[in-house]
Amino acid sequence: LLVTFQLNPLAGPQSAAAETVRHRLLTADSSSGRVAVIDEAGQTEWEMKIGPLHDLHMLDNGHVLLQTDWTTVVEVDPQTDEIVWQYDSAGSGGNEGKQIEVHAFQRLDNGHTMIAESGVSRIIEVNSEGHIVNSIPLTVTRADAHRDTRLVRQLDNGNLLVCHEGEAVVREYSPQGEIVWEYNVPLFDRPRADGHGPEAFGNQCFAAIRLPNGNTLLTTGNGHSILEVTHDKQLVWKLEQSD
């Protein structure tokens, strides 16, 4: 998995010949086991060894919010390499002895950290002291530590947009856990095919974001496409792997 975020554009005039805008990046590569900040010249400013990783954030204070393994979320100060905050879902909140994986997390505007816990099918909100201050149950047919959730994001209205990979559906939950909107990812009349490369096909959903126009942009994972759908679940735009 490669996760990359643009941090800031390069200031100053660009070469007319190159006509290239360069950006400072926060990036992670699970295959090489590291997360890093790369400057505009391609040099490594900071890096940290990691395990599995499915989410990553540069915070407003310059710290990096990341996971060091499937269950531990940490906030790191790149200037000192100090871990200033951490939460381990495997050993906290009544999860001891249970199969847990974390595939999404987010620092909220109130300073708390949202963590999606697959396996126990819930989303928790953790304060700076590491205490759970809110818990939202998720609706799944069968709990699966690896496939309950992928990307999860809090929306401007306070609801949570959740990708349920295993169930091939995107759901919007209220803060009380009520489903207020959902979209079943279609197969487009194609048969399923096993695998992890271009030969595979399905409707697993890995990521979804709510656009300013109210539509939802989502990736179909092994469906090799990007879809934009309206609140009424109408498909308005699609990009396939072969396009």
Side-chain angles (χ1 to χ4, degrees), residues 68-239:
T68 55
D69 54 42
W70 279 134
T71 63
T72 308
V73 178
V74 302
E75 178 184 344
V76 181
D77 182 352
Q79 300 300 318
T80 63
D81 286 331
E82 179 187 3
I83 294 177
V84 300
W85 181 89
Q86 65 178 342
Y87 184 84
D88 183 2
S89 286
S92 307
N95 289 339
E96 295 82 355
K98 300 178 182 178
Q99 284 192 313
I100 303 291
E101 288 187 16
V102 171
H103 299 279
F105 45 87
Q106 181 184 12
R107 180 61 49 81
L108 306 179
D109 290 340
N110 61 8
H112 298 164
T113 303
M114 177 277 293
I115 301 175
E117 294 183 331
S118 292
V120 291
S121 309
R122 69 178 184 176
I123 294 175
I124 59 173
E125 192 174 325
V126 181
N127 65 16
S128 58
E129 288 76 37
H131 301 140
I132 297 176
V133 297
N134 192 29
S135 179
I136 300 173
L138 297 174
T139 300
V140 297
T141 303
R142 183 178 64 85
D144 188 313
H146 195 62
R147 291 162 57 83
D148 271 0
T149 62
R150 288 295 173 176
L151 190 69
V152 177
R153 287 292 182 264
Q154 186 182 64
L155 303 175
D156 292 340
N157 61 8
N159 292 346
L160 292 157
L161 192 64
V162 180
C163 293
H164 290 286
E165 177 203 351
E167 304 206 343
V169 63
V170 179
R171 293 191 175 108
E172 180 181 344
Y173 291 85
S174 73
Q176 293 74 39
E178 177 189 4
I179 298 174
V180 299
W181 182 83
E182 66 179 3
Y183 179 76
N184 291 285
V185 181
L187 284 166
F188 298 104
D189 298 320
R190 288 185 54 183
R192 297 181 185 274
D194 293 335
H196 287 85
E199 78 287 347
F201 186 78
N203 55 353
Q204 297 171 11
C205 186
F206 291 170
I209 58 173
R210 182 62 47 78
L211 301 176
N213 64 5
N215 293 348
T216 301
L217 190 71
L218 60 98
T219 66
T220 60
N222 60 354
H224 312 293
S225 61
I226 301 172
L227 312 178
E228 180 181 346
V229 297
T230 68
H231 185 74
D232 295 329
K233 307 177 186 180
Q234 300 300 308
L235 180 64
V236 297
W237 183 83
K238 180 181 179 183
L239 180 70

